[in-house]
Amino acid sequence: MSAYELSTAVAVAAAITDGHTTARQVVTAALDRIGRLDGRIGAFTDVVAARALAKADAQDAALSGGAKPGPLTGVPFAVKNLIDIAGLPTRAGSKINRKRPPAERDGALVRRLEAAGAILVGALNMGEYAYDFTGENVHDGDAHNPHALDHMTGGSSGGSGAALAAGMVPLTLGSDTNGSIRVPAAFCGCFGLKPTYGRLTRAGSFPFVGSLDHLGPLARSVTDLALAYDVMQGPDPDDPVATLRPAEPVLPHLDAGIDGLRIAVAGGHFARGGDPDAFAAVARAAEVLGARGTVELPEAHRARAAAYLITAAEGATLHLDRLRTRPQDFDPAVRDRLIAGAMIPAPHVERAQRFRRWYRARVLELFETVDVILAPATPCRAPKGGQTHFVLDGVTLPVRANIGVFTQPISFIGLPVVAAPIRLDAGLPLGVQVIAAPWREDLVLRVARHLERTGVSTAPIAELA
């Protein structure tokens, strides 16, 4: 394995800036690795090699001419295929969208990353229309977990997790409505950030549930995650829910440590309904962080149910025309859930939204006495591909519907979360959610960085021949 394949985004940018390598050499290495491995992984749906090499050559020429390097100079990255890439139709994991006109310009976050020097190399596999927790796709083929190819990546940002774990790129973008960044990060053993709702613009992306959708980065190091987050911050009039708050950089405070932080473990809903290993991962993180006591998010089980209801209803509304005219072109499992969502009575949705406001207020009260809350990211390690049921706490349950049991009550109210990978043994990774109050991405990243520095949270590249 080459030095590039082991590098973080920060290390790649430094090597190019210092003249030890060039952007073309780095991008060529990334494209070569994608070509060599992706037939088995299924992380990519589109590779934009000509574009990437042209950008790399232009960047090398500019640096030779004395241009100031950006913080992500020459770093290859890839994005979930619901984010616009100029010249390609935005698939959103579907068959139907392939007939859409090609995007006229890149999505906003792609433009912001490239303005910092990063170089886009392609689009990543995902569950159809992001209505997925498994990483399986009937149109493009399933994404496979690089740590065990017969296991799931998690979804719906499955390709985003797989591309990192396979060492194809050091940085990816995903989306998270009910857990679609955090689940693949946990299953594939990398770091993922779901920012506060409205913090990162969603302009130039295909929506799923407007009141729950987030975009965010995944990476193999917390520093990379923080750097990517910082360069993507900022208001955007093209996204009506994007915050008007100014950018609040987190990188300068990343190594401030955890002294003085009040860290607790989520109990109740988050302490049952999972495998013992999922709770052992939280206990391990809590021990290293000196967490004290537990807190209970009130009615978290109802929050999960309400999130399900709002997801189904809003998602169905978005797809009504497609359901009427091209029902045969959906993944049947996605189609049936959307049809069911279309039949939910409006008063049920209104009641769920009222509960949402109550629940958010109650959870925010918890942050008057704690700064950070720890919870499992998933109820178990990655299931096998094609597995439809698993046993959790002695109960047989459908896999697809229950992977997000611990993520949904958090994204339901838009809190910032880092999913940090935990390896208890030589088996598949697990993940821990590090949760804070709105706009406190600095805290969740500081805590994740401490876990990384102590060696509890690591994101190694999978050993692939």
Side-chain angles (χ1 to χ4, degrees):
M1 189 173 287
S2 73
Y4 157 68
E5 290 162 349
L6 292 173
S7 288
T8 63
V10 169
V12 168
I16 293 171
T17 299
D18 294 342
H20 297 307
T21 188
T22 66
R24 173 170 265 271
Q25 289 173 323
V26 167
V27 168
T28 298
L31 295 172
D32 287 349
R33 187 164 176 86
I34 293 166
R36 181 158 49 87
L37 297 179
D38 199 51
R40 287 184 286 156
I41 305 297
F44 281 80
T45 55
D46 304 271
V47 177
V48 291
R51 165 183 167 149
L53 290 169
K55 292 269 188 181
D57 288 342
Q59 198 170 96
D60 287 335
L63 291 172
S64 296
K68 182 180 178 181
L72 289 170
T73 288
V75 173
F77 76 102
V79 301
K80 188 174 183 176
N81 72 28
L82 56 64
I83 299 173
D84 290 349
I85 296 175
L88 297 178
T90 305
R91 298 189 190 203
S94 71
K95 177 180 179 180
I96 296 171
N97 277 30
R98 294 170 206 219
K99 299 298 184 182
R100 299 181 78 206
E104 295 184 358
R105 67 171 182 166
D106 297 330
L109 296 187
V110 174
R111 299 197 307 270
R112 290 181 180 185
L113 286 171
E114 289 207 327
I119 297 176
L120 181 73
V121 298
L124 297 164
N125 203 354
M126 60 176 284
E128 185 179 65
Y129 290 125
Y131 210 168
D132 166 65
F133 272 132
T134 67
E136 297 168 323
N137 187 292
V138 301
H139 311 298
D140 293 307
D142 301 341
H144 299 280
N145 194 318
H147 296 290
L149 294 177
D150 58 342
H151 285 252
M152 296 175 181
T153 59
S156 62
S157 307
S160 302
L164 287 169
M168 297 176 183
V169 289
L171 180 65
T172 63
L173 292 185
S175 70
D176 191 310
T177 301
N178 285 300
S180 289
I181 286 173
R182 291 161 287 161
V183 168
F187 282 175
C188 293
C190 55
F191 295 94
L193 171 65
K194 185 202 77 61
T196 305
Y197 181 77
R199 167 52 91 180
L200 295 184
T201 175
R202 304 168 304 180
S205 66
F206 195 88
F208 174 27
V209 180
S211 70
L212 294 171
D213 290 344
H214 310 66
L215 299 184
L218 297 90
R220 291 195 304 268
S221 83
V222 179
T223 302
D224 287 358
L225 204 66
L227 176 55
Y229 170 70
D230 278 357
V231 303
M232 291 189 292
Q233 286 190 59
D236 186 351
D238 291 333
D239 181 353
V241 306
T243 183
L244 297 178
R245 293 170 68 100
E248 296 170 280
V250 298
L251 197 59
H253 314 291
L254 194 60
D255 287 314
I258 61 169
D259 287 351
L261 292 186
R262 301 166 297 175
I263 302 172
V265 174
H269 173 85
F270 298 93
R272 58 179 180 264
D275 283 349
D277 286 349
F279 305 121
V282 175
R284 177 71 177 124
E287 178 185 17
V288 169
L289 295 170
R292 296 187 177 182
T294 62
V295 295
E296 186 161 344
L297 281 66
E299 303 286 352
H301 64 292
R302 288 183 63 197
R304 183 183 176 228
Y308 253 123
L309 194 152
I310 292 169
T311 296
E314 284 195 34
T317 300
L318 177 67
H319 292 287
L320 280 177
D321 287 344
R322 283 175 281 272
L323 290 168
R324 291 188 184 107
T325 59
R326 298 186 63 177
Q328 73 282 0
D329 290 329
F330 281 86
D331 174 343
V334 173
R335 178 195 62 214
D336 293 350
R337 280 179 288 153
L338 290 172
I339 291 172
M343 295 188 288
I344 295 173
H348 288 19
V349 180
E350 192 274 337
R351 184 178 178 184
Q353 293 287 18
R354 280 192 286 112
F355 169 76
R356 186 182 189 179
R357 291 190 290 274
W358 177 89
Y359 175 68
R360 185 176 191 274
R362 301 292 80 73
V363 172
L364 292 185
E365 289 172 358
L366 296 176
F367 290 109
E368 296 174 6
T369 56
V370 300
D371 299 305
V372 170
I373 300 171
L374 305 177
T378 59
C380 58
R381 304 177 201 241
K384 286 202 168 185
Q387 184 176 334
T388 60
H389 289 77
F390 49 19
V391 178
L392 297 177
D393 206 13
V395 180
T396 299
L397 297 165
V399 168
R400 189 188 292 259
N402 288 282
I403 291 175
V405 62
F406 299 132
T407 54
Q408 287 175 290
I410 308 303
S411 43
F412 183 54
I413 51 174
L415 302 180
V417 191
V418 166
I422 305 290
R423 284 184 172 271
L424 295 177
D425 49 39
L428 289 170
L430 292 144
V432 169
Q433 293 187 89
V434 183
I435 307 159
W439 318 115
R440 296 312 308 263
E441 283 81 358
D442 60 320
L443 295 185
V444 295
L445 287 160
R446 274 173 55 191
V447 169
R449 176 67 179 125
H450 184 82
L451 289 171
E452 184 183 42
R453 282 191 303 184
T454 58
V456 172
S457 189
T458 61
I461 294 173
E463 295 182 7
L464 293 160

